[in-house]
């Protein structure tokens, strides 16, 4: 019976990721943290000079090689990431030049159109989308290590979510670094509610 | 005094182009026709195979060299064409390969952001936008030869505009190939109104 809430929470993953956006928690912070759990070193919000202009690179991720990651975030369910983001991600990679990055990588919280995926294969652009590729897709990367975003937690007010995000926490599991009293001290939760929140985090992260 | 209506019509150019969209007259048909007046051979709505996918190329234009033209149309005033379309236009050009086209070209009815223009310079992407470049910008190309879109004509119902568009006419000046009686025969205009319309076209095209 103890598993029940965890299961139902996990069903809410897609919705929780969709609600990162409206809450103002950037998807790139979330995905960068997911990558860290997989052994990447990451930085977000990078500004890097290309041939003539400064590009914003959502995530720079290093593990064996250096990846230029573009995050394409949609906060409406049912949206699909089409060809254009794949093309401009590749063009940005080219403009930054081989001396900056080894490979380009497009990450999105939605599905990808078939031509976007085919194009990406052709130019060597790695794509991580919802349910694509079969392995190591966004859902699996999260589920595998239970890296649910804080927006999956129930009964948290927007105010508390924001306070947690101010602590640089966007993956729920990371809350387990705090004791209930620490969490209560750093947010507007009282200690009793902090206990409940951490209990919920333990269940979904188990 | 006879010039007056012409002048006021021409002030409406930006609005007329903006209203191509909602009326369902594609901007690419309009711009292709403008190019023909400048000696280009054009085809619109092309589907061309790239390395792994079929690309839709808005206009193929040939004059000395073969251009791959991407039309970025906005139907809201005040919108600006940013970096992404410049990047994906260039990526599409690369994917189609040098054996298909000599050069890429981005055409838009709005202004372009500075980084889009800088990027385009860097990769050799020609840009024609509203008021950019200083010469041969969209406005000048139109004004120079008075190639106003049919949507600039006053008092034409949507029905008649559609009938005219069915005749493959999107540049008002091309209506002058018809006599009033021919125009009345091919549209729901009566002959008296057809005379008025052609008179208006003559004034703005003079």
């Amino acid at each position: 019976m103890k598993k029940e809430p965890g299961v139902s929470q996990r069903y809410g993953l897609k919705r929780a990721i969709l609600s990162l956006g409206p809450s103002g928690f950037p998807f790139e912070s979330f995905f960068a943290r997911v990558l860290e759990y997989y052994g990447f070193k990451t930085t977000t919000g990078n500004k890097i000079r290309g041939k003539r202009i400064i590009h914003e690179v959502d995530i720079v991720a290093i593990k064996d090689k250096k990846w230029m990651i573009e995050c394409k975030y949609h906060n409406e369910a049912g949206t699909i990431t089409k060809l254009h983001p794949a093309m401009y991600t590749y063009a940005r990679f080219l403009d930054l030049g081989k001396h900056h990055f080894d490979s380009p990588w497009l990450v999105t919280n939605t599905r990808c159109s078939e031509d976007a995926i085919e194009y990406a294969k052709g130019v060597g652009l790695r794509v991580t989308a919802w349910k694509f590729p079969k392995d190591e897709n966004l859902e699996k990367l999260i589920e595998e290590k239970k890296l649910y975003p804080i927006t999956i937690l129930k009964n948290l007010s927007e105010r508390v979510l924001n306070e947690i995000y101010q602590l640089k926490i966007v993956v729920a599991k990371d809350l387990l670094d705090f004791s209930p009293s620490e969490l209560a001290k750093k947010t507007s939760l009282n200690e009793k509610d902090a206990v409940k929140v951490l209990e919920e985090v333990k269940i979904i992260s188990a």
Side-chain angles (χ1 to χ4, degrees), chain A residues 119-176:
Chain A
Y119 170 80
K121 279 181 192 160
V123 297
L125 167 66
R126 182 174 182 175
V127 173
T128 298
W130 192 259
K131 297 196 187 291
F132 180 88
K134 203 162 162 266
D135 300 314
E136 301 195 334
N137 57 58
L138 182 61
E139 196 186 13
K140 283 206 179 166
L141 288 174
I142 294 169
E143 298 281 6
E144 176 91 6
K145 295 187 189 275
K146 313 262 190 279
L147 305 172
Y148 302 103
I150 50 173
T151 42
I152 209 166
L153 297 169
K154 282 182 178 160
N155 309 318
L156 282 193
S157 68
E158 208 169 306
R159 179 182 171 186
V160 173
L161 278 172
N162 263 302
E163 289 164 346
I164 292 174
Y165 187 62
Q166 292 306 313
L167 302 173
K168 307 275 182 218
I169 288 175
V170 65
V171 166
K173 209 177 184 173
D174 290 339
L175 281 170
L176 299 178

Side-chain angles (χ1 to χ4, degrees), chain A residues 26-201:
Chain A
F27 176 65
E28 57 250 48
S29 303
F30 171 69
F31 191 72
R33 186 68 186 132
V34 168
L35 287 178
E36 287 174 0
Y37 272 95
Y38 285 90
F40 288 82
K41 289 193 191 307
T42 70
T43 50
T44 54
N46 311 271
K47 290 183 194 283
I48 303 174
R49 181 171 289 282
K51 281 184 204 99
R52 293 179 77 119
I53 61 165
I54 307 271
H55 290 275
E56 289 178 26
V57 175
D58 293 332
I59 306 175
V60 175
I62 302 173
K63 182 180 160 183
D64 305 329
K65 54 186 189 168
K66 193 171 173 189
W67 297 91
M68 183 209 86
I69 302 183
E70 180 92 16
C71 292
K72 181 67 186 167
Y73 179 76
H74 293 281
N75 56 25
E76 267 179 85
T79 315
I80 193 161
T81 292
K82 293 184 188 160
L83 182 57
H84 286 165
M87 290 198 295
Y88 67 64
T89 299
Y90 183 61
R92 172 166 287 153
F93 168 71
L94 290 182
D95 201 53
L96 287 169
K98 288 278 182 197
H99 59 288
H100 272 303
F101 293 100
D102 299 308
S103 292
W105 188 349
L106 174 62
V107 177
T108 177
N109 66 319
T110 67
R111 296 195 316 121
C112 255
S113 68
E114 268 183 49
D115 60 350
I117 286 168
E118 274 306 304
Y119 170 80
K121 279 181 192 160
V123 297
L125 167 66
R126 182 174 182 175
V127 173
T128 298
W130 192 259
K131 297 196 187 291
F132 180 88
K134 203 162 162 266
D135 300 314
E136 301 195 334
N137 57 58
L138 182 61
E139 196 186 13
K140 283 206 179 166
L141 288 174
I142 294 169
E143 298 281 6
E144 176 91 6
K145 295 187 189 275
K146 313 262 190 279
L147 305 172
Y148 302 103
I150 50 173
T151 42
I152 209 166
L153 297 169
K154 282 182 178 160
N155 309 318
L156 282 193
S157 68
E158 208 169 306
R159 179 182 171 186
V160 173
L161 278 172
N162 263 302
E163 289 164 346
I164 292 174
Y165 187 62
Q166 292 306 313
L167 302 173
K168 307 275 182 218
I169 288 175
V170 65
V171 166
K173 209 177 184 173
D174 290 339
L175 281 170
L176 299 178
D177 293 345
F178 296 95
S179 68
S181 65
E182 280 170 336
L183 188 59
K185 206 175 288 166
K186 288 176 186 292
T187 65
S188 55
L189 289 169
N190 62 39
E191 200 160 327
K192 201 181 129 198
D193 285 337
V195 169
K196 275 193 207 164
V197 167
L198 291 177
E199 196 52 40
E200 189 187 351
V201 173

